[in-house]
Amino acid sequence: MSTTGTTTPASRTARLSAGAADYLDERIGAARLVKGFARKVFPDHWSFMLGEVALYSFLILLISGTFLALFYVPSMTLITYEGSYAPLYGVTMSEAYASSLHLSFDIRGGLLMRQVHHWSALIFVAAIVVHMFRVFFTGAFRKPREFNWVLGVVLAILALALGFTGYSLPDDLLSGNGLRIIQGVILAIPVVGTYITFFLFGGEFPGETIIPRLYILHVFVLPGITLAVIALHLALVVAHKHTQYPGPGRTNDNVVGFPLMPVYAAKAGGFFFIVLGVIVLISSVVSINAIWNYGPYDPSPVSAGTQPDWYIGFVDGLLRLMPGQPEFYLAGYTLSLNVFLPSLVVPGIMVVGLIAYPFLEQWVTGDKREHHLLDRPRNAPVRTAIGVTAIVSYCVMWAAAGNDLMAIAFGMSINDLTWLLRFAFFVLPPVAFVVTKRICMALQRKDRELALHGHETGRVVRTADGEYFEVHEPLSDSDRWVLVQHEAYRPLSIPPRRYEDGSKPSPVERVRASLSNFFFEDRVEPVTPRELAAAQHHGEHEAIEQPVESRREITSGTPD
């Protein structure tokens, strides 16, 4: 008995798709590219989604910003407001402010889109910052990802620039005061500050050109640069392969996870809509930047109790912390160091430090190898302490930006509170460094004890000889491997004043040795195979109860 098979003819859509795929494959080799990219494996961990939150927030910014650009008028021409917001009816204001009110009260969904745009901007910057925390604390910036770390720093700066230029566009009293602060900062630049200010504002502040110029930067220039940096950043992530946390079967030569297609493509699509839904929900119930409460910008009044968005607040805080005395005249010029130092020099040092740190750590350790396994923060105590110190410093600066509101809330003198924050700026970061470093080392000692002896069970056993000992539950092989897999760097020896041949060590050698001792002098040695074997098989506690903390050992600067 025979049967005749029939084939279902392909649909018109399937034929068109197949034809388009063949066309692209024959001309640009699309099949090979898609096949290789679709099989790209990515590890699975919740912290890796922080970068995705930043990416999706930026996409939402582009979508909502396109809607707002359809109705916003970037003009400082003065008109009389005749819109639907009664308290401001008949008030003279710029077209930019009037169009922002029109968006908020007369365009269906306009206020929601303004809220979505503003909240997306805040989340975009926050996600970038937290993502950089994860990269820094886990050492994901090490070779071959130093350049990608630099791109991340550039992306953070672009996010700040996008936030400030967009914050200034409504031309209300709050954003105008922010522009006035920026004008003062630029004026503080020695010699050329006045010329730069006149160029930007088209004359005396506020002029009639700053809003259109900020609009061009915010809508065309900065988004284009940001898109290019994001594309290059993601391309390098794919080229270098994704980092992963240590675990069984994970090495510097492989990636344990799931392929991009179909697993991660589906997860990424779903996660985008989750981020979108959360932003829309927040925008629907939490009002932000109610520009109608401030009124149009007028250079004469300055409202009290105003603070910039959180990501710019540290500059405002530094300006409030800086004493007013360092201002003097030199060769006919006014040097306002009380403005120039906190607003330009300190942020510049912060940016240079961020960019230089991966190269500094690589130089100190002498480690030129590629690293695809992430560090546990506790296993790099000095690096972790430096990161926490930077966070504490930022928090003090950010708190200083609200010293007036804090003084009112706590019934304190604003002068006393400012002096308290000045002391905190110099005292709290070193305290945070020491405490964080000691906590990391204590956690390393705990990990060492767990790897050697396991968990305490609370059961005490008496032997026939009358000896008492506590029974420990050993760790699984996978849990123990996580605790013992890391490498320990050892400090370089401090070079003598003169070598035996009479030559002197170079200043660079001495600096590198000093930094090496700063990073690695205090450390807890990881468990060695000999100690682990003794603990597991022989119970020779004498072999493992030896000093594990080396403070003055002189060895090379290479890892064990």
Side-chain angles (χ1 to χ4, degrees):
M1 180 179 180
S2 63
T3 58
T4 304
T6 59
T7 58
T8 304
S11 65
R12 186 170 182 270
T13 303
R15 292 196 303 271
L16 290 175
S17 301
D22 289 340
Y23 183 88
L24 292 175
D25 185 36
E26 291 171 356
R27 286 158 179 80
I28 62 174
R32 184 172 63 257
L33 295 175
V34 172
K35 181 179 179 181
F37 189 64
R39 291 182 176 180
K40 193 73 176 179
V41 176
F42 290 89
D44 193 21
H45 194 271
W46 65 267
S47 65
F48 298 148
M49 293 192 297
L50 296 170
E52 294 183 52
V53 173
L55 175 61
Y56 301 152
S57 300
F58 183 69
L59 294 178
I60 296 169
L61 279 171
L62 294 179
I63 297 170
S64 58
T66 301
F67 176 88
L68 297 178
L70 298 175
F71 304 97
Y72 176 75
V73 180
S75 171
M76 299 183 73
T77 303
L78 296 179
I79 62 172
T80 300
Y81 179 68
E82 297 179 349
S84 59
Y85 186 64
L88 292 177
Y89 189 86
V91 175
T92 300
M93 61 183 66
S94 67
E95 283 191 279
Y97 186 59
S99 65
S100 299
L101 293 176
H102 179 66
L103 258 168
S104 302
F105 296 107
D106 300 315
I107 301 299
R108 187 181 299 275
L111 180 58
L112 176 62
M113 294 303 287
R114 278 194 60 239
Q115 300 273 99
V116 166
H117 195 71
H118 201 123
W119 278 113
S120 298
L122 296 179
I123 294 174
F124 175 56
V125 181
I128 290 176
V129 171
V130 180
H131 178 62
M132 291 183 70
F133 286 163
R134 197 274 300 173
V135 172
F136 181 83
F137 287 121
T138 59
F141 54 78
R142 294 173 296 175
K143 184 180 178 181
R145 297 176 180 83
E146 305 96 331
F147 183 63
N148 225 6
W149 167 262
V150 174
L151 287 178
V153 176
V154 172
L155 189 58
I157 296 172
L158 288 170
L160 298 185
L162 280 166
F164 178 77
T165 53
Y167 171 85
S168 304
L169 290 181
D171 199 27
D172 59 305
L173 182 60
L174 186 63
S175 64
N177 287 334
L179 277 176
R180 171 64 94 177
I181 293 173
I182 292 299
Q183 185 226 11
V185 169
I186 298 173
L187 283 174
I189 301 175
V191 182
V192 298
T194 304
Y195 302 100
I196 296 175
T197 301
F198 270 68
F199 171 75
L200 288 178
F201 291 92
E204 291 285 352
F205 181 87
E208 296 181 353
T209 61
I210 187 62
I211 293 298
R213 291 176 178 179
L214 290 177
Y215 179 78
I216 292 173
L217 286 174
H218 185 72
V219 175
F220 298 104
V221 179
L222 293 175
I225 298 174
T226 304
L227 272 174
V229 173
I230 290 175
L232 183 56
H233 185 77
L234 295 177
L236 289 178
V237 169
V238 174
H240 293 151
K241 75 183 179 182
H242 207 294
T243 55
Q244 57 186 342
Y245 285 93
R250 299 173 182 176
T251 68
N252 279 313
D253 301 321
N254 68 355
V255 178
V256 178
F258 301 96
L260 178 67
M261 294 292 292
V263 178
Y264 265 95
K267 292 176 66 175
F271 191 51
F272 168 77
F273 287 104
I274 291 175
V275 174
L276 174 62
V278 170
I279 290 176
V280 172
L281 177 62
I282 296 174
S283 304
S284 302
V285 299
V286 182
S287 178
I288 190 170
N289 198 25
I291 58 173
W292 50 89
N293 289 334
Y294 310 129
Y297 179 62
D298 183 350
S300 56
V302 176
S303 57
T306 59
Q307 280 77 34
D309 284 331
W310 68 269
Y311 48 86
I312 296 291
F314 75 98
V315 178
D316 193 1
L318 278 171
L319 287 168
R320 301 187 190 203
L321 290 177
M322 185 71 182
Q325 289 80 7
E327 180 174 283
F328 51 90
Y329 296 93
L330 181 66
Y333 293 97
T334 302
L335 298 180
S336 300
L337 299 183
N338 55 337
V339 178
F340 179 67
L341 292 178
S343 60
L344 293 173
V345 175
V346 175
I349 293 173
M350 294 168 60
V351 171
V352 172
L354 282 172
I355 292 175
Y357 185 85
F359 307 98
L360 175 66
E361 185 175 299
Q362 185 182 90
W363 177 63
V364 170
T365 61
D367 188 358
K368 306 295 185 180
R369 299 170 302 163
E370 290 192 359
H371 291 273
H372 303 291
L373 282 180
L374 299 174
D375 286 336
R376 302 175 76 204
R378 66 184 63 182
N379 293 333
V382 173
R383 181 204 299 154
T384 303
I386 291 173
V388 173
T389 300
I391 293 173
V392 172
S393 300
Y394 177 88
C395 290
V396 174
M397 293 183 283
W398 184 55
N403 60 350
D404 51 348
L405 297 182
M406 293 169 61
I408 295 173
F410 296 108
M412 297 177 62
S413 164
I414 191 171
N415 292 326
D416 294 341
L417 182 59
T418 300
W419 274 104
L420 179 63
L421 289 169
R422 286 171 180 168
F423 283 113
F425 181 75
F426 291 101
V427 173
L428 290 185
V431 171
F433 179 89
V434 174
V435 172
T436 303
K437 181 179 176 182
R438 302 315 300 180
I439 290 175
C440 288
M441 295 183 68
L443 291 173
Q444 287 188 65
R445 295 189 195 97
K446 178 184 176 183
D447 289 347
R448 181 183 174 86
E449 291 299 315
L450 281 176
L452 291 174
H453 305 296
H455 293 287
E456 296 181 357
T457 62
R459 292 190 296 116
V460 178
V461 177
R462 178 184 178 183
T463 66
D465 299 330
E467 178 186 2
Y468 290 89
F469 64 91
E470 183 182 10
V471 177
H472 288 72
E473 180 182 353
L475 299 178
S476 65
D477 292 339
S478 59
D479 291 340
R480 185 184 299 109
W481 190 89
V482 173
L483 301 182
V484 303
Q485 54 78 34
H486 66 282
E487 299 172 334
Y489 293 96
R490 295 183 177 179
L492 294 168
S493 60
I494 301 294
R497 293 185 179 273
R498 288 183 179 273
Y499 293 118
E500 294 180 357
D501 59 0
S503 62
K504 293 182 178 180
S506 67
V508 174
E509 289 182 81
R510 301 190 68 87
V511 169
R512 184 186 176 203
S514 299
L515 287 174
S516 178
N517 278 265
F518 170 74
F519 270 86
F520 307 116
E521 183 180 35
D522 296 334
R523 67 191 184 280
V524 176
E525 296 288 355
V527 177
T528 64
R530 181 178 62 84
E531 292 172 322
L532 193 58
Q536 287 181 332
H537 303 296
H538 305 292
E540 296 175 357
H541 296 285
E542 294 81 4
I544 60 176
E545 291 177 357
Q546 53 184 323
V548 299
E549 196 169 345
S550 302
R551 301 185 61 84
R552 297 292 179 187
E553 184 176 358
I554 300 176
T555 58
S556 65
T558 56
D560 289 344

